[in-house]
Amino acid sequence: MSIEIIFGQQLRKIREENKLSQEELAFRAKLDRTYISLLERGKRRPTLNTIFALTQQLNISAAEMVRLVEEQVLNFHH
Amino acid sequence: MSIEIIFGQQLRKIREENKLSQEELAFRAKLDRTYISLLERGKRRPTLNTIFALTQQLNISAAEMVRLVEEQVLNFHH
DNA sequence: ATATTGTGATGACTATAGTCCGAAAATGAT
DNA sequence: ATCATTTTCGGACTATAGTCATCACAATAT
């Protein structure tokens, strides 16, 4: 499992927990709606700045988000 | 203080603690020598994948790296 | 039936991440 | 001071992050 796929899965999960649509999250994070879709499907690799922009709208710290991704990466890495 | 400036400062600090030259870190992380220089001076914004590639060579987790950046951002944010 | 809302998909586009080469400048030995 | 190592800076380049407009399609509501 690649980093971007796992990031996308976590993003979707957290977004849904926050009961936001892709469009609403995009608006609040000042990003494009279709880009959120691309991210969640693992088609794009977010920059650190983008991770900050997203997590600030999702009641989670950037570090915690990355920790969740890292956890999954290490788990899948065997 | 912008995210990329703070990231650059942290990267340089951690690289020096690991006693690696920019060139050696670049080689190990499969990145370009001059790009490490750009990152450390806050001229580029790394993707999540790049952060993983770098931290794997620096005896630090990606999440901890981001936590350090976040800490600095919040401190400066007033 | 037909709006409405949420998401996926595509293609064309702009902005910027990341590479490559080389030379100048800084740093740090000896 | 000189020499080697490291870093910075330049420009030209390639790859990809992120935008925009639009269509399709499913689910739910009216």
Side-chain angles (χ1 to χ4, degrees), chain B residues 3 8 18 27 31 34-35 52 55 58 64 66:
Chain B
I3 292 171
N18 279 263
F27 176 75
L31 292 168
T34 65
Y35 178 55
F52 270 82
T55 53
L58 293 173
E64 173 64 6
V66 172

Side-chain angles (χ1 to χ4, degrees), chain B residues 32-33 35 44-45 47 50:
Chain B
D32 194 79
R33 171 179 60 87
Y35 178 55
R44 288 293 187 279
R45 300 170 173 187
T47 64
T50 299

Side-chain angles (χ1 to χ4, degrees), chain B residues 1-75:
Chain B
M1 293 292 272
S2 65
I3 292 171
E4 57 269 26
I5 291 286
I6 291 172
F7 177 85
Q9 293 172 347
Q10 289 297 329
L11 177 60
R12 172 161 294 175
K13 179 163 176 288
I14 295 167
R15 176 180 62 79
E16 289 175 346
E17 286 169 2
N18 279 263
K19 300 192 193 308
L20 292 181
S21 66
Q22 291 181 351
E23 187 161 14
E24 184 63 25
L25 173 58
F27 176 75
R28 296 190 189 185
K30 296 187 168 59
L31 292 168
D32 194 79
R33 171 179 60 87
T34 65
Y35 178 55
I36 304 295
S37 173
L38 289 168
L39 279 177
E40 289 188 356
R41 286 176 289 133
K43 306 291 190 187
R44 288 293 187 279
R45 300 170 173 187
T47 64
L48 181 57
N49 295 61
T50 299
I51 294 172
F52 270 82
L54 289 169
T55 53
Q56 279 168 12
Q57 308 304 325
L58 293 173
N59 299 305
I60 187 176
S61 69
E64 173 64 6
M65 176 61 147
V66 172
R67 197 190 65 72
L68 290 170
V69 173
E70 203 157 29
E71 184 177 87
Q72 295 290 320
V73 170
L74 296 177
N75 277 353

Side-chain angles (χ1 to χ4, degrees), chain A residues 7-77:
Chain A
F7 177 85
Q9 293 172 347
Q10 289 297 328
L11 177 60
R12 173 162 293 173
K13 182 164 176 285
I14 295 167
R15 174 180 63 80
E16 288 174 346
E17 285 170 4
N18 278 265
K19 300 192 192 313
L20 292 183
S21 67
Q22 292 180 350
E23 188 162 12
E24 185 62 25
L25 173 58
F27 176 76
R28 296 191 189 185
K30 296 186 169 58
L31 292 167
D32 195 79
R33 174 186 72 82
T34 65
Y35 178 56
I36 304 294
S37 174
L38 289 168
L39 278 177
E40 289 188 356
R41 288 177 287 134
K43 305 289 189 188
R44 288 293 187 279
R45 301 171 172 184
T47 63
L48 181 57
N49 293 63
T50 299
I51 295 172
F52 270 81
L54 289 169
T55 54
Q56 279 169 12
Q57 307 303 325
L58 293 172
N59 297 307
I60 187 176
S61 69
E64 175 64 7
M65 176 60 146
V66 172
R67 195 190 67 71
L68 291 169
V69 173
E70 202 157 30
E71 184 176 85
Q72 295 290 320
V73 170
L74 295 178
N75 278 353
F76 271 111
H77 206 275

